[in-house]
Amino acid sequence: MKMKRIDTINVIPFIDIMLVLLVMVLTTATFIKTGVIPVDLPNAKGTATEHKPSEMKLTIKKDGTLWIDEKTQVSLDQFEQKVTEGGKEMTVVLYSDKDAAFQNFVGVMDVLKRLGHEQLYIVTDKQK
């Protein structure tokens, strides 16, 4: 009995393995928001229209204080003004301490409802 010589390489198992590896990499990859590169902008006499922020990060701390983008402490009235300036297309991302008074959360929701603002995300931790 004579053995038949194999002239080709079967690549189908190789492709199967590569597709499985690709799926594993894509499902486990974390997408990290890159920092902003500092740039000195040139001066111009004409003014462009102001770009409204597409996202506002609002934090309610344990003591009930409101913070925008973790750097500016605001009152509820100032928050309402910022939301009005941002427009209805702006997304509000709400981080609330679990020990903060529920009244603070209700106050924020009341402002958003009064303004007819529907772009709201509430950030939570996944339960273990």
Side-chain angles (χ1 to χ4, degrees), residues 44-124:
K45 291 189 181 202
T47 59
T49 58
E50 183 179 332
H51 174 69
K52 295 181 180 178
S54 60
E55 181 176 293
M56 175 194 298
K57 181 177 176 184
L58 178 69
T59 305
I60 302 175
K61 292 196 173 184
K62 188 175 183 176
D63 60 0
T65 57
L66 300 176
W67 292 80
I68 293 180
D69 297 327
E70 296 182 347
K71 56 186 172 190
T72 308
Q73 184 176 352
V74 294
S75 67
L76 206 53
D77 293 332
Q78 291 169 329
F79 167 68
E80 182 173 355
Q81 181 182 0
K82 294 275 188 186
V83 172
T84 304
E85 290 171 3
K88 291 190 179 193
E89 69 277 355
M90 179 183 67
T91 302
V92 176
V93 182
L94 178 62
Y95 293 82
S96 181
D97 192 291
K98 66 180 178 182
D99 295 326
F102 188 65
Q103 181 61 44
N104 299 320
F105 176 79
V106 171
V108 169
M109 296 303 293
D110 185 44
V111 166
L112 295 174
K113 184 177 180 184
R114 192 170 352 108
L115 295 175
H117 195 87
E118 297 179 357
Q119 299 294 326
L120 171 70
Y121 291 102
I122 300 172
V123 180
T124 60

Side-chain angles (χ1 to χ4, degrees), residues 7 13 23 27 29 32-33 37 40 80 91 93 113 116-117 119 123 126:
D7 292 335
V23 168
T27 55
I32 300 170
K33 185 177 179 182
I37 299 172
D40 289 329
E80 182 173 355
T91 302
V93 182
K113 184 177 180 184
H117 195 87
Q119 299 294 326
V123 180
K126 188 175 180 180

Side-chain angles (χ1 to χ4, degrees), residues 24-43:
M24 289 174 59
V25 166
L26 290 177
T27 55
T28 59
T30 57
F31 299 99
I32 300 170
K33 185 177 179 182
T34 58
V36 178
I37 299 172
V39 175
D40 289 329
L41 297 175
N43 296 326

